[in-house]
Amino acid sequence: MKTSARNQFFGKITAVNVGAVNAEVAVGLKGGQSIVAAITKESVEKLGVKVGGDAVALVKAPQVIVVMDDAGYRLSARNQLSGTVSRIHKGAVNSDVIIDLGGGETVAATITNDSLEALGLAEGQTAMAVFKAGSVILGVAA
Amino acid sequence: MKTSARNQFFGKITAVNVGAVNAEVAVGLKGGQSIVAAITKESVEKLGVKVGGDAVALVKAPQVIVVMDDAGYRLSARNQLSGTVSRIHKGAVNSDVIIDLGGGETVAATITNDSLEALGLAEGQTAMAVFKAGSVILGVAA
Amino acid sequence: MKTSARNQFFGKITAVNVGAVNAEVAVGLKGGQSIVAAITKESVEKLGVKVGGDAVALVKAPQVIVVMDDAGYRLSARNQLSGTVSRIHKGAVNSDVIIDLGGGETVAATITNDSLEALGLAEGQTAMAVFKAGSVILGVAA
């Protein structure tokens, strides 16, 4: 699969919760974490989404927030993945931050340099990659 | 209309499917393609969305994924527009990729240089611009 | 709270409208404006969202559109905040635009340099920051 989405999580579908209009689909990764995608009920049927099937969860790096300290706030985002900052690539305005989730999985987040400095983000630190289920595009193997 | 959204697709509303909570609105472009926007049922009423009306679909470039090869995966995203890469503008961390859809329409996608290199993306290649209906803001002429 | 989200709006929850599947939560800012977040009904219950509670609305800068002139189009986006452009930081491909909303609140938008030039955006101009309720992550104080 060749896409520009920096985050392409391949795994097996572990849960499909179909509501009145939308559905939440969980894709289990090798490292034990899961990615939750919100898609329409119609897409569940059209794509033939079912537990055990091979899938890929696509998430663009600009849609991922890096959280260092939640200060006791609980976040509404369905995807909150903990890991270690393994690489920071700094540009003129934005930086690319890679968080290692373990199990060979990484998450890329594009953040502004202002945020990078405000957070005092450095390689080796613990951080959380946060994104909404609605930011995830699901791909299902034919 | 002056907005920073790189993608401003003007057209006529060709379909409005209202569900229990949300609605999908299709905007037909001159080249024959359509853009689907997911908006709330409340917005449909408030904006006076109706088939045949003039509309604009706004999509930010960082929300567009470039797909070169789907490797047999079917994607959940409602918008999957095929075209030809007509321009690549490379920055320090990110690049701006323009895909020509024909009929005078183009789509801009902001992707990281890492992705650009991983894809081996070059002008003249066939590519697909993929984005979710939820990424689209709909504007309706008053 | 330490997150990379450029936009972190702290305030009190002023309204919670729970629908069949999703809910809209309004966070009132000091300047009198409100941010609306769309979250699932399940999150409302799990987070204990209630009117009067302390909350933070997180929005990434790449998800914010800058609108200078709507040319009579009404937009579907729930968040349309008016202000004054107070700072522009230009990079190689993208720029960071700060809009002052008054009351000490600002909104950051990441836009491409192409858009910056097309808009003729300059400090001191009136502009609107537009983003969907679905782009907002809600944080609730424990």
Side-chain angles (χ1 to χ4, degrees):
Chain A
M1 186 163 212
K2 294 177 74 178
T3 86
S4 70
R6 280 301 302 285
N7 299 298
Q8 306 189 23
F9 303 103
F10 289 88
K12 295 273 183 198
I13 295 172
T14 56
V16 182
N17 296 314
V18 180
V21 179
N22 294 311
E24 280 194 347
V25 179
V27 178
L29 310 184
K30 275 167 287 174
Q33 312 227 31
S34 290
I35 304 293
V36 177
I39 66 176
T40 59
K41 197 177 163 182
E42 196 188 331
S43 282
V44 170
E45 289 153 15
K46 218 189 308 188
L47 298 178
V49 173
K50 56 176 190 292
V51 171
D54 285 312
V56 60
L58 305 177
V59 189
K60 292 209 68 164
Q63 293 183 325
V64 180
I65 292 178
V66 179
V67 176
M68 298 285 286
D69 172 10
D70 63 13
Y73 280 81
R74 287 165 303 191
L75 300 175
S76 66
R78 288 289 276 122
N79 295 289
Q80 303 190 24
L81 307 170
S82 290
T84 305
V85 177
S86 60
R87 193 170 74 95
I88 296 172
H89 178 204
K90 202 170 170 179
V93 169
N94 292 310
S95 294
D96 204 39
V97 176
I98 310 295
I99 297 174
D100 191 327
L101 302 178
E105 298 284 359
T106 59
V107 184
T110 301
I111 70 174
T112 59
N113 292 347
D114 281 2
S115 288
L116 188 73
E117 282 150 31
L119 288 177
L121 209 60
E123 291 176 13
Q125 284 176 321
T126 299
M128 199 156 65
V130 175
F131 50 94
K132 299 190 83 152
S135 297
V136 183
I137 292 178
L138 187 76
V140 175
Chain B
M1 185 164 212
K2 292 177 76 178
T3 87
S4 70
R6 281 301 301 285
N7 299 298
Q8 306 189 23
F9 302 104
F10 289 88
K12 295 274 183 197
I13 296 172
T14 55
V16 182
N17 296 314
V18 181
V21 180
N22 295 311
E24 280 194 348
V25 179
V27 178
L29 310 183
K30 274 167 288 173
Q33 311 228 32
S34 290
I35 305 293
V36 178
I39 66 175
T40 59
K41 198 177 162 181
E42 197 188 329
S43 283
V44 170
E45 289 152 18
K46 216 188 311 187
L47 298 179
V49 173
K50 56 175 191 291
V51 171
D54 284 312
V56 59
L58 305 177
V59 189
K60 291 209 70 163
Q63 293 184 325
V64 180
I65 293 179
V66 179
V67 176
M68 299 283 287
D69 172 11
D70 64 13
Y73 280 79
R74 286 165 305 191
L75 300 175
S76 66
R78 288 289 276 119
N79 294 290
Q80 304 189 22
L81 306 170
S82 290
T84 305
V85 177
S86 59
R87 190 171 76 97
I88 296 172
H89 178 202
K90 202 171 170 179
V93 169
N94 292 309
S95 293
D96 205 39
V97 177
I98 310 295
I99 297 174
D100 190 327
L101 303 177
E105 297 284 358
T106 58
V107 184
T110 302
I111 71 174
T112 60
N113 292 346
D114 281 2
S115 287
L116 188 74
E117 281 150 32
L119 289 176
L121 209 60
E123 291 176 13
Q125 283 175 323
T126 299
M128 199 156 64
V130 175
F131 50 94
K132 299 190 81 150
S135 298
V136 182
I137 291 177
L138 187 75
V140 175
Chain C
M1 184 163 214
K2 293 177 74 179
T3 86
S4 70
R6 280 300 301 285
N7 299 298
Q8 306 189 22
F9 302 104
F10 289 88
K12 296 274 183 197
I13 295 173
T14 55
V16 182
N17 296 314
V18 180
V21 179
N22 295 312
E24 280 194 349
V25 179
V27 178
L29 309 184
K30 275 167 287 176
Q33 311 228 28
S34 291
I35 305 293
V36 178
I39 66 175
T40 59
K41 197 177 162 181
E42 198 189 328
S43 283
V44 170
E45 288 152 17
K46 218 189 310 187
L47 299 178
V49 174
K50 57 176 189 295
V51 172
D54 284 313
V56 60
L58 306 176
V59 189
K60 293 208 69 163
Q63 293 183 326
V64 180
I65 293 179
V66 179
V67 176
M68 298 284 286
D69 172 10
D70 64 12
Y73 280 80
R74 286 165 305 192
L75 300 175
S76 66
R78 287 290 274 122
N79 296 288
Q80 304 189 24
L81 307 170
S82 289
T84 305
V85 177
S86 59
R87 193 171 73 96
I88 297 172
H89 179 202
K90 201 170 170 181
V93 169
N94 293 310
S95 293
D96 206 37
V97 176
I98 310 296
I99 297 174
D100 191 328
L101 302 178
E105 299 284 358
T106 58
V107 184
T110 302
I111 70 173
T112 60
N113 293 346
D114 281 2
S115 288
L116 188 74
E117 283 150 31
L119 288 177
L121 210 60
E123 291 175 13
Q125 284 175 322
T126 299
M128 199 157 62
V130 176
F131 50 94
K132 299 190 83 152
S135 296
V136 182
I137 292 178
L138 187 75
V140 175

